[in-house]
PDB file of all heavy atoms in Angstrom:
ATOM      1  N   LYS Y1053     109.760  81.215  98.847  1.00 90.00           N
ATOM      2  CA  LYS Y1053     109.786  81.158  97.397  1.00 90.00           C
ATOM      3  C   LYS Y1053     108.599  81.901  96.783  1.00 90.00           C
ATOM      4  O   LYS Y1053     107.493  81.834  97.290  1.00 90.00           O
ATOM      5  CB  LYS Y1053     109.656  79.673  96.978  1.00 90.00           C
ATOM      6  CG  LYS Y1053     109.944  79.550  95.486  1.00 90.00           C
ATOM      7  CD  LYS Y1053     109.917  78.069  95.113  1.00 90.00           C
ATOM      8  CE  LYS Y1053     110.053  77.947  93.615  1.00 90.00           C
ATOM      9  NZ  LYS Y1053     109.848  76.571  93.190  1.00 90.00           N
ATOM     10  N   VAL Y1054     108.838  82.621  95.762  1.00 93.00           N
ATOM     11  CA  VAL Y1054     107.834  83.413  95.103  1.00 93.00           C
ATOM     12  C   VAL Y1054     107.258  82.663  93.944  1.00 93.00           C
ATOM     13  O   VAL Y1054     107.985  82.192  93.074  1.00 93.00           O
ATOM     14  CB  VAL Y1054     108.399  84.745  94.655  1.00 93.00           C
ATOM     15  CG1 VAL Y1054     107.370  85.565  93.969  1.00 93.00           C
ATOM     16  CG2 VAL Y1054     109.027  85.507  95.759  1.00 93.00           C
ATOM     17  N   PRO Y1055     105.920  82.541  93.959  1.00 95.00           N
ATOM     18  CA  PRO Y1055     105.205  81.792  92.866  1.00 95.00           C
ATOM     19  C   PRO Y1055     105.320  82.596  91.503  1.00 95.00           C
ATOM     20  O   PRO Y1055     104.325  83.135  91.052  1.00 95.00           O
ATOM     21  CB  PRO Y1055     103.762  81.715  93.365  1.00 95.00           C
ATOM     22  CG  PRO Y1055     103.641  82.867  94.316  1.00 95.00           C
ATOM     23  CD  PRO Y1055     105.007  83.096  94.930  1.00 95.00           C
ATOM     24  N   ALA Y1056     106.458  82.722  91.008  1.00 95.00           N
ATOM     25  CA  ALA Y1056     106.664  83.387  89.742  1.00 95.00           C
ATOM     26  C   ALA Y1056     105.844  82.825  88.641  1.00 95.00           C
ATOM     27  O   ALA Y1056     105.580  83.443  87.608  1.00 95.00           O
ATOM     28  CB  ALA Y1056     108.119  83.490  89.404  1.00 95.00           C
ATOM     29  N   HIS Y1057     105.524  81.554  88.764  1.00 96.00           N
ATOM     30  CA  HIS Y1057     104.708  80.864  87.774  1.00 96.00           C
ATOM     31  C   HIS Y1057     103.294  81.433  87.643  1.00 96.00           C
ATOM     32  O   HIS Y1057     102.584  81.224  86.713  1.00 96.00           O
ATOM     33  CB  HIS Y1057     104.699  79.395  88.045  1.00 96.00           C
ATOM     34  CG  HIS Y1057     104.080  79.055  89.237  1.00 96.00           C
ATOM     35  ND1 HIS Y1057     104.760  78.968  90.483  1.00 96.00           N
ATOM     36  CD2 HIS Y1057     102.790  78.720  89.613  1.00 96.00           C
ATOM     37  CE1 HIS Y1057     103.921  78.643  91.438  1.00 96.00           C
ATOM     38  NE2 HIS Y1057     102.739  78.472  90.946  1.00 96.00           N
ATOM     39  N   ARG Y1058     102.963  82.190  88.657  1.00 96.00           N
ATOM     40  CA  ARG Y1058     101.589  82.786  88.634  1.00 96.00           C
ATOM     41  C   ARG Y1058     101.638  84.183  87.997  1.00 96.00           C
ATOM     42  O   ARG Y1058     100.602  84.805  87.947  1.00 96.00           O
ATOM     43  CB  ARG Y1058     101.045  82.870  90.069  1.00 96.00           C
ATOM     44  CG  ARG Y1058     100.748  81.532  90.683  1.00 96.00           C
ATOM     45  CD  ARG Y1058     100.248  81.698  92.131  1.00 96.00           C
ATOM     46  NE  ARG Y1058     100.195  80.429  92.763  1.00 96.00           N
ATOM     47  CZ  ARG Y1058     100.070  80.317  94.094  1.00 96.00           C
ATOM     48  NH1 ARG Y1058     100.108  81.350  94.827  1.00 96.00           N
ATOM     49  NH2 ARG Y1058     100.023  79.158  94.690  1.00 96.00           N
ATOM     50  N   VAL Y1059     102.791  84.531  87.591  1.00 96.00           N
ATOM     51  CA  VAL Y1059     102.943  85.826  87.007  1.00 96.00           C
ATOM     52  C   VAL Y1059     103.210  85.727  85.489  1.00 96.00           C
ATOM     53  O   VAL Y1059     104.184  85.072  85.086  1.00 96.00           O
ATOM     54  CB  VAL Y1059     104.083  86.638  87.648  1.00 96.00           C
ATOM     55  CG1 VAL Y1059     104.107  88.094  87.089  1.00 96.00           C
ATOM     56  CG2 VAL Y1059     103.909  86.633  89.154  1.00 96.00           C
ATOM     57  N   VAL Y1060     102.356  86.301  84.690  1.00 96.00           N
ATOM     58  CA  VAL Y1060     102.541  86.212  83.239  1.00 96.00           C
ATOM     59  C   VAL Y1060     102.354  87.639  82.654  1.00 96.00           C
ATOM     60  O   VAL Y1060     102.047  88.581  83.389  1.00 96.00           O
ATOM     61  CB  VAL Y1060     101.539  85.251  82.641  1.00 96.00           C
ATOM     62  CG1 VAL Y1060     101.776  83.897  83.036  1.00 96.00           C
ATOM     63  CG2 VAL Y1060     100.087  85.690  82.959  1.00 96.00           C
ATOM     64  N   ASN Y1061     102.516  87.709  81.330  1.00 95.00           N
ATOM     65  CA  ASN Y1061     102.396  89.082  80.734  1.00 95.00           C
ATOM     66  C   ASN Y1061     100.928  89.443  80.536  1.00 95.00           C
ATOM     67  O   ASN Y1061      99.993  88.687  80.848  1.00 95.00           O
ATOM     68  CB  ASN Y1061     103.150  89.080  79.411  1.00 95.00           C
ATOM     69  CG  ASN Y1061     102.551  88.051  78.450  1.00 95.00           C
ATOM     70  OD1 ASN Y1061     101.704  87.308  78.831  1.00 95.00           O
ATOM     71  ND2 ASN Y1061     103.057  88.128  77.256  1.00 95.00           N
ATOM     72  N   ARG Y1062     100.661  90.541  79.901  1.00 94.00           N
ATOM     73  CA  ARG Y1062      99.308  90.991  79.666  1.00 94.00           C
ATOM     74  C   ARG Y1062      98.549  90.065  78.693  1.00 94.00           C
ATOM     75  O   ARG Y1062      97.342  90.017  78.794  1.00 94.00           O
ATOM     76  CB  ARG Y1062      99.409  92.412  79.005  1.00 94.00           C
ATOM     77  CG  ARG Y1062      98.725  93.490  79.807  1.00 94.00           C
ATOM     78  CD  ARG Y1062      97.609  92.904  80.629  1.00 94.00           C
ATOM     79  NE  ARG Y1062      96.928  94.062  81.286  1.00 94.00           N
ATOM     80  CZ  ARG Y1062      95.739  93.893  81.921  1.00 94.00           C
ATOM     81  NH1 ARG Y1062      95.298  92.706  82.065  1.00 94.00           N
ATOM     82  NH2 ARG Y1062      95.140  94.859  82.451  1.00 94.00           N
ATOM     83  N   ASN Y1063      99.267  89.428  77.851  1.00 93.00           N
ATOM     84  CA  ASN Y1063      98.610  88.555  76.916  1.00 93.00           C
ATOM     85  C   ASN Y1063      98.207  87.231  77.459  1.00 93.00           C
ATOM     86  O   ASN Y1063      97.593  86.396  76.889  1.00 93.00           O
ATOM     87  CB  ASN Y1063      99.446  88.371  75.658  1.00 93.00           C
ATOM     88  CG  ASN Y1063      99.640  89.662  74.896  1.00 93.00           C
ATOM     89  OD1 ASN Y1063      98.715  90.388  74.696  1.00 93.00           O
ATOM     90  ND2 ASN Y1063     100.876  89.950  74.574  1.00 93.00           N
ATOM     91  N   GLY Y1064      98.742  86.975  78.701  1.00 94.00           N
ATOM     92  CA  GLY Y1064      98.472  85.711  79.347  1.00 94.00           C
ATOM     93  C   GLY Y1064      99.498  84.637  78.881  1.00 94.00           C
ATOM     94  O   GLY Y1064      99.302  83.471  79.081  1.00 94.00           O
ATOM     95  N   MET Y1065     100.522  85.071  78.250  1.00 93.00           N
ATOM     96  CA  MET Y1065     101.519  84.091  77.798  1.00 93.00           C
ATOM     97  C   MET Y1065     102.617  83.883  78.868  1.00 93.00           C
ATOM     98  O   MET Y1065     102.960  84.769  79.559  1.00 93.00           O
ATOM     99  CB  MET Y1065     102.200  84.604  76.540  1.00 93.00           C
ATOM    100  CG  MET Y1065     101.266  85.117  75.533  1.00 93.00           C
ATOM    101  SD  MET Y1065     102.231  85.440  74.196  1.00 93.00           S
ATOM    102  CE  MET Y1065     101.511  86.313  73.133  1.00 93.00           C
ATOM    103  N   LEU Y1066     103.160  82.691  78.900  1.00 94.00           N
ATOM    104  CA  LEU Y1066     104.225  82.380  79.860  1.00 94.00           C
ATOM    105  C   LEU Y1066     105.526  82.939  79.274  1.00 94.00           C
ATOM    106  O   LEU Y1066     106.456  82.121  78.882  1.00 94.00           O
ATOM    107  CB  LEU Y1066     104.235  80.889  80.099  1.00 94.00           C
ATOM    108  CG  LEU Y1066     102.845  80.297  80.360  1.00 94.00           C
ATOM    109  CD1 LEU Y1066     103.014  78.813  80.720  1.00 94.00           C
ATOM    110  CD2 LEU Y1066     102.243  81.006  81.575  1.00 94.00           C
ATOM    111  N   SER Y1067     105.719  84.174  79.353  1.00 93.00           N
ATOM    112  CA  SER Y1067     106.877  84.788  78.775  1.00 93.00           C
ATOM    113  C   SER Y1067     108.121  84.365  79.585  1.00 93.00           C
ATOM    114  O   SER Y1067     109.212  84.239  79.000  1.00 93.00           O
ATOM    115  CB  SER Y1067     106.688  86.311  78.829  1.00 93.00           C
ATOM    116  OG  SER Y1067     106.244  86.697  80.134  1.00 93.00           O
ATOM    117  N   GLY Y1068     108.028  84.140  80.855  1.00 92.00           N
ATOM    118  CA  GLY Y1068     109.220  83.846  81.636  1.00 92.00           C
ATOM    119  C   GLY Y1068     109.358  82.362  81.884  1.00 92.00           C
ATOM    120  O   GLY Y1068     110.127  81.956  82.690  1.00 92.00           O
ATOM    121  N   LYS Y1069     108.658  81.569  81.188  1.00 93.00           N
ATOM    122  CA  LYS Y1069     108.692  80.084  81.444  1.00 93.00           C
ATOM    123  C   LYS Y1069     110.083  79.550  81.071  1.00 93.00           C
ATOM    124  O   LYS Y1069     110.526  78.632  81.658  1.00 93.00           O
ATOM    125  CB  LYS Y1069     107.659  79.360  80.566  1.00 93.00           C
ATOM    126  CG  LYS Y1069     108.113  79.259  79.138  1.00 93.00           C
ATOM    127  CD  LYS Y1069     107.232  78.200  78.442  1.00 93.00           C
ATOM    128  CE  LYS Y1069     108.053  77.572  77.307  1.00 93.00           C
ATOM    129  NZ  LYS Y1069     107.648  76.211  77.090  1.00 93.00           N
ATOM    130  N   ALA Y1070     110.749  80.252  80.141  1.00 91.00           N
ATOM    131  CA  ALA Y1070     112.125  79.827  79.758  1.00 91.00           C
ATOM    132  C   ALA Y1070     113.112  80.193  80.837  1.00 91.00           C
ATOM    133  O   ALA Y1070     114.212  79.645  80.787  1.00 91.00           O
ATOM    134  CB  ALA Y1070     112.432  80.523  78.393  1.00 91.00           C
ATOM    135  N   HIS Y1071     112.649  80.999  81.778  1.00 92.00           N
ATOM    136  CA  HIS Y1071     113.683  81.452  82.791  1.00 92.00           C
ATOM    137  C   HIS Y1071     113.574  80.597  84.013  1.00 92.00           C
ATOM    138  O   HIS Y1071     114.267  80.717  84.975  1.00 92.00           O
ATOM    139  CB  HIS Y1071     113.410  82.866  83.139  1.00 92.00           C
ATOM    140  CG  HIS Y1071     113.868  83.817  82.106  1.00 92.00           C
ATOM    141  ND1 HIS Y1071     114.994  84.573  82.213  1.00 92.00           N
ATOM    142  CD2 HIS Y1071     113.393  84.080  80.848  1.00 92.00           C
ATOM    143  CE1 HIS Y1071     115.185  85.293  81.120  1.00 92.00           C
ATOM    144  NE2 HIS Y1071     114.176  85.004  80.271  1.00 92.00           N
ATOM    145  N   PHE Y1072     112.674  79.690  84.035  1.00 93.00           N
ATOM    146  CA  PHE Y1072     112.478  78.782  85.193  1.00 93.00           C
ATOM    147  C   PHE Y1072     113.576  77.688  85.248  1.00 93.00           C
ATOM    148  O   PHE Y1072     114.367  77.636  84.259  1.00 93.00           O
ATOM    149  CB  PHE Y1072     111.127  78.180  85.191  1.00 93.00           C
ATOM    150  CG  PHE Y1072     110.062  79.017  85.765  1.00 93.00           C
ATOM    151  CD1 PHE Y1072     109.560  80.095  85.050  1.00 93.00           C
ATOM    152  CD2 PHE Y1072     109.572  78.776  87.060  1.00 93.00           C
ATOM    153  CE1 PHE Y1072     108.619  80.981  85.665  1.00 93.00           C
ATOM    154  CE2 PHE Y1072     108.600  79.564  87.629  1.00 93.00           C
ATOM    155  CZ  PHE Y1072     108.147  80.627  86.946  1.00 93.00           C
ATOM    156  N   ALA Y1073     113.573  76.930  86.243  1.00 91.00           N
ATOM    157  CA  ALA Y1073     114.574  75.940  86.330  1.00 91.00           C
ATOM    158  C   ALA Y1073     114.483  75.021  85.104  1.00 91.00           C
ATOM    159  O   ALA Y1073     115.464  74.650  84.497  1.00 91.00           O
ATOM    160  CB  ALA Y1073     114.364  75.035  87.556  1.00 91.00           C
ATOM    161  N   THR Y1074     113.276  74.781  84.728  1.00 92.00           N
ATOM    162  CA  THR Y1074     113.019  74.020  83.426  1.00 92.00           C
ATOM    163  C   THR Y1074     111.907  74.667  82.702  1.00 92.00           C
ATOM    164  O   THR Y1074     110.958  75.281  83.331  1.00 92.00           O
ATOM    165  CB  THR Y1074     112.646  72.559  83.786  1.00 92.00           C
ATOM    166  OG1 THR Y1074     111.545  72.555  84.676  1.00 92.00           O
ATOM    167  CG2 THR Y1074     113.781  71.784  84.295  1.00 92.00           C
ATOM    168  N   PRO Y1075     111.983  74.707  81.401  1.00 91.00           N
ATOM    169  CA  PRO Y1075     110.961  75.380  80.548  1.00 91.00           C
ATOM    170  C   PRO Y1075     109.560  74.862  80.802  1.00 91.00           C
ATOM    171  O   PRO Y1075     108.574  75.619  80.643  1.00 91.00           O
ATOM    172  CB  PRO Y1075     111.414  74.998  79.150  1.00 91.00           C
ATOM    173  CG  PRO Y1075     112.807  74.445  79.193  1.00 91.00           C
ATOM    174  CD  PRO Y1075     113.038  73.996  80.631  1.00 91.00           C
TER     175      PRO Y1075
END
Side-chain angles (χ1 to χ4, degrees):
Chain Y
K1053 192 180 174 184
V1054 180
H1057 61 272
R1058 292 181 190 161
V1059 185
V1060 295
N1061 63 352
R1062 236 336 186 170
N1063 294 317
M1065 312 186 196
L1066 309 184
S1067 46
K1069 79 163 208 151
H1071 286 256
F1072 276 76
T1074 52

